[in-house]
Amino acid sequence: MKIALFASGSGSNVEAILQAIRAETLYTTPAFVFSDRPNAPVLEKAKRYGVSTHMFRPRDFDSKQQYEESLLQLLDNYDVQWVVLAGYMRLLGATIVEPYTHRIVNIHPSLLPAFPGLDAVGQALGAGVEKTGVSIHYVDAGMDTGEIIQQETVPITSEDTKTSLEEKIKRVEHQLYPETLQQLFEERSKGVLQRDETGIDKCQ
Ligand code: GAR
């Protein structure tokens, strides 16, 4: 499986995935890391692992469609099979979602469907809930609405601040994302999951 990683920020999840690949607990080839932000620290992190990087900004294109067509061309050039979103803070449009249906995954810092969208950690703290968590899901055209693949709960204590809760969530993410990707790729390569004519994965 050849993957592309999309990220907008610090890239700690990208790093956890690249470490797992290096440690041979995740069997995949990282074709490139893409960021929509020129100064995103993830770009330097990827270079340290010897992974190619690409960056372009949506505002340098006439439309979102043209931006995503360039991204799609990049995915084609590298013959990428899976797109892994790791802190990519933009909604993907049909230009990419349709050709990659059930081959784009995202990680989100809440127990979806609770707290979708931006600042999921702040939303959970603001709602006063006792637990939140991490969700890994397929990406569809909606905002964090795709089919859920894996979830793990993170308890919230009365001492938690936004920083402490973000740290707890990221610790879970760094374990869960590489593990889940490995399971997913194994299942697909063994043919355990087969796509029917509607595009929905079905267990045999
Ligand atoms: C992660 O916590 C990820 O779940 C979240 O952004 C953070 C990126 O951190 N993603 C979203 O909120 C997507 N809606 P990182 O750059 O350190 O990997």
Side-chain angles (χ1 to χ4, degrees):
M1 301 284 179
K2 213 193 255 189
I3 64 170
L5 295 142
F6 288 14
S8 306
S10 82
S12 69
N13 277 285
V14 165
E15 187 163 25
I17 289 166
L18 296 178
Q19 269 172 6
I21 293 170
R22 192 176 267 183
E24 299 189 356
T25 54
L26 172 58
Y27 290 91
T28 185
T29 305
F32 62 87
V33 169
F34 170 77
S35 184
D36 56 332
R37 295 190 186 158
N39 299 321
V42 68
L43 293 168
E44 279 310 310
K45 286 197 172 98
K47 284 179 194 150
R48 285 209 297 272
Y49 284 80
V51 177
S52 302
T53 59
H54 292 276
M55 190 291 299
F56 32 86
R57 296 179 301 185
R59 69 167 185 221
D60 294 335
F61 294 78
D62 287 340
S63 65
K64 177 173 173 171
Q65 188 182 336
Q66 280 184 17
Y67 163 73
E68 291 198 340
E69 278 166 3
S70 297
L71 262 176
L72 194 61
Q73 187 62 55
L74 202 54
L75 294 167
D76 277 354
N77 291 348
Y78 281 86
D79 199 19
V80 166
Q81 278 114 32
W82 287 78
V83 177
V84 175
L85 308 185
Y88 179 69
M89 303 310 274
R90 284 180 190 279
L91 197 58
L92 280 180
T95 308
I96 294 183
V97 171
E98 278 175 14
Y100 277 88
T101 301
H102 278 87
R103 287 186 296 135
I104 312 177
V105 284
N106 181 40
I107 190 158
H108 184 77
S110 78
L111 292 174
L112 290 170
F115 313 127
L118 291 177
D119 193 20
V121 178
Q123 289 186 58
L125 280 174
V129 292
E130 289 177 355
K131 61 179 186 180
T132 184
V134 174
S135 301
I136 295 167
H137 64 96
Y138 289 111
V139 171
D140 64 13
M143 174 71 79
D144 301 321
T145 50
E147 183 189 335
I148 290 166
I149 302 165
Q150 189 67 269
Q151 290 185 306
E152 192 168 319
T153 298
V154 175
I156 303 177
T157 67
S158 53
E159 286 89 53
D160 268 323
T161 59
K162 195 165 166 203
T163 306
S164 71
L165 187 54
E166 271 169 358
E167 280 169 6
K168 284 201 282 191
I169 286 176
K170 284 205 182 180
R171 272 200 294 277
V172 171
E173 290 186 332
H174 298 164
Q175 277 291 123
L176 196 65
Y177 213 5
E179 277 173 18
T180 304
L181 290 172
Q182 178 57 24
Q183 279 166 17
L184 206 56
F185 298 159
E186 265 177 37
E187 284 165 3
R188 281 287 174 91
S189 62
K190 282 185 201 146
V192 175
L193 292 171
Q194 288 223 322
R195 191 93 42 86
D196 71 8
E197 65 284 353
T198 65
I200 307 289
D201 286 324
K202 287 197 164 166
C203 289
Q204 285 181 320

